């Protein structure tokens, strides 16, 4: 993809975010865009970074580390958004700014122990499974509170909020309804953890519905970079 095309697509996505925000219940809310760059070459990341994109999401640790090395001189913010295997927690703790896919206590403990002192705490989102499919990534809503307490007790971790990837639904009303359940969980958690501020929901096909329901961080791959 040419840099001009990437730029056009980036502006288009920013336009959709603005539109979703204006139509939502919190029109003054700032919504961040995380560019999901899994499977994309470092050159595409560099092209977006040059026009002002700062946050990038990656799903595969080894692939991400290779790109990070190539782009070392850029001031980017790296978000780990994929399923977390225990043997990858050290690399995540050492090389990412955010991790959005924390869904079990064992991973909290490992990340908390392995995040090096002397750099910012790792910014953490708890991934929630809203569809109640046991094989899916994400904790069940009733597990959020316990995970949140465990994260808050780790000095090298900072709990920032929740993330979800609902099963695809084509109807905007159905999309919005499931994101509203996530917003309810976020509001509940906020009573216990008043410092949280981030609700990461919405991808290429449903970002407007997510923002309308209260999301303030969207993760977009396909609509920025084309089909994978
Ligand atoms: C791949 C991925 C995305 C981006 O999805 P698109 O539909 O390509 O925009 C967002 N979030 C997560 C967790 C992903 O794995």
């Amino acid at each position: 993809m040419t840099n001009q095309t990437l730029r056009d697509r980036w502006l288009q996505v920013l336009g959709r975010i603005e539109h979703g925000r204006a139509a939502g219940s919190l029109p003054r809310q700032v919504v961040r865009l995380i560019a999901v760059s899994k499977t994309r070459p470092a050159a595409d990341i560099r092209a977006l970074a040059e026009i002002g994109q700062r946050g990038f999401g990656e799903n595969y640790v080894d692939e991400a580390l290779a790109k990070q090395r190539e782009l070392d001189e850029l001031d980017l913010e790296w978000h780990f958004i994929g399923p977390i295997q225990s043997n990858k927690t050290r690399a995540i703790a050492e090389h990412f700014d955010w991790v959005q896919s924390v869904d079990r206590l064992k991973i909290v403990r490992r990340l908390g122990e392995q995040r090096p002192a002397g750099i910012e705490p790792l910014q953490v989102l708890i991934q929630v499974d809203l569809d109640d499919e046991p094989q899916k990534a994400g904790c069940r809503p009733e597990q959020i509170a316990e995970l949140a307490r465990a994260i808050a007790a780790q000095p090298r971790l900072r709990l920032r909020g929740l993330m979800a990837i609902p099963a695809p639904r084509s109807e905007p009303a159905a999309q919005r309804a499931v994101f509203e359940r996530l917003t309810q969980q976020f509001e509940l958690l906020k009573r216990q953890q008043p410092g949280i501020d981030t609700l990461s929901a919405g991808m290429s096909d449903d970002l407007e519905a997510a923002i309308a329901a209260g999301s303030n961080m969207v993760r977009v791959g396909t609509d920025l970079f084309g089909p994978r």
Side-chain angles (χ1 to χ4, degrees):
M1 192 172 296
T2 68
N3 287 3
Q4 183 58 47
T5 313
L6 262 178
R7 187 194 177 96
D8 291 345
R9 296 178 76 114
W10 185 69
L11 291 173
Q12 226 163 38
V13 170
L14 291 181
R16 283 178 62 197
I17 290 172
E18 273 313 297
H19 192 256
R21 194 166 72 123
S25 48
L26 298 166
R28 278 192 296 276
Q29 162 137 293
V30 175
V31 179
R32 288 195 64 195
L33 168 62
I34 304 304
V36 175
S37 45
K38 62 182 173 212
T39 78
R40 312 293 173 176
D44 284 3
I45 297 175
R46 185 183 298 280
L48 277 193
E50 277 167 3
I51 55 177
Q53 176 64 33
R54 176 142 192 276
F56 290 87
E58 290 280 344
N59 294 55
Y60 312 105
V61 172
D62 297 338
E63 178 195 330
L65 296 194
K67 285 186 256 184
Q68 288 176 357
R69 281 192 291 273
E70 251 185 89
L71 299 166
D72 191 35
E73 82 285 5
L74 300 177
D75 180 29
L76 303 180
E77 186 181 273
W78 294 97
H79 293 239
F80 189 79
I81 62 173
I84 305 176
Q85 295 168 282
S86 327
N87 63 351
K88 298 290 185 185
T89 52
R90 181 174 299 280
I92 294 171
E94 290 180 352
H95 295 284
F96 283 81
D97 303 292
W98 287 64
V99 54
Q100 300 203 4
S101 41
V102 170
D103 63 359
R104 55 198 195 278
L105 286 169
K106 179 182 178 187
I107 298 299
V108 171
R109 278 194 296 271
R110 291 177 67 93
L111 291 171
E113 286 162 15
Q114 293 168 342
R115 179 68 167 179
I119 55 175
E120 280 280 293
L122 183 60
Q123 313 295 307
V124 178
L125 301 180
I126 297 170
Q127 182 175 353
V128 188
D129 175 14
L130 295 168
D131 293 297
D132 204 18
E133 296 167 35
Q135 72 284 10
K136 267 190 67 174
C139 73
R140 293 195 311 275
E142 57 273 23
Q143 297 172 310
I144 295 172
E146 185 188 15
L147 275 169
R149 279 191 294 273
I151 294 164
Q154 290 282 352
R156 304 303 305 141
L157 306 181
R158 181 165 300 144
L159 179 66
R160 297 293 295 269
L162 300 179
M163 183 273 254
I165 316 171
R169 292 163 171 82
S170 47
E171 279 296 305
Q175 290 175 349
R176 183 164 171 168
V178 69
F179 287 127
E180 276 167 359
R181 285 197 277 127
L182 180 66
T183 302
Q184 283 163 14
Q185 294 297 332
F186 182 78
E187 294 303 331
L188 269 178
L189 179 60
K190 204 163 177 175
R191 290 188 213 155
Q192 177 202 318
Q193 305 284 347
I196 63 169
D197 60 5
T198 303
L199 189 52
S200 173
M203 319 198 295
S204 293
D205 289 333
D206 54 15
L207 70 88
E208 287 90 347
I211 294 168
S215 163
N216 62 7
M217 181 177 277
V218 295
R219 310 174 311 272
V220 177
T222 307
D223 282 7
L224 283 174
F225 298 108
R228 283 182 291 275

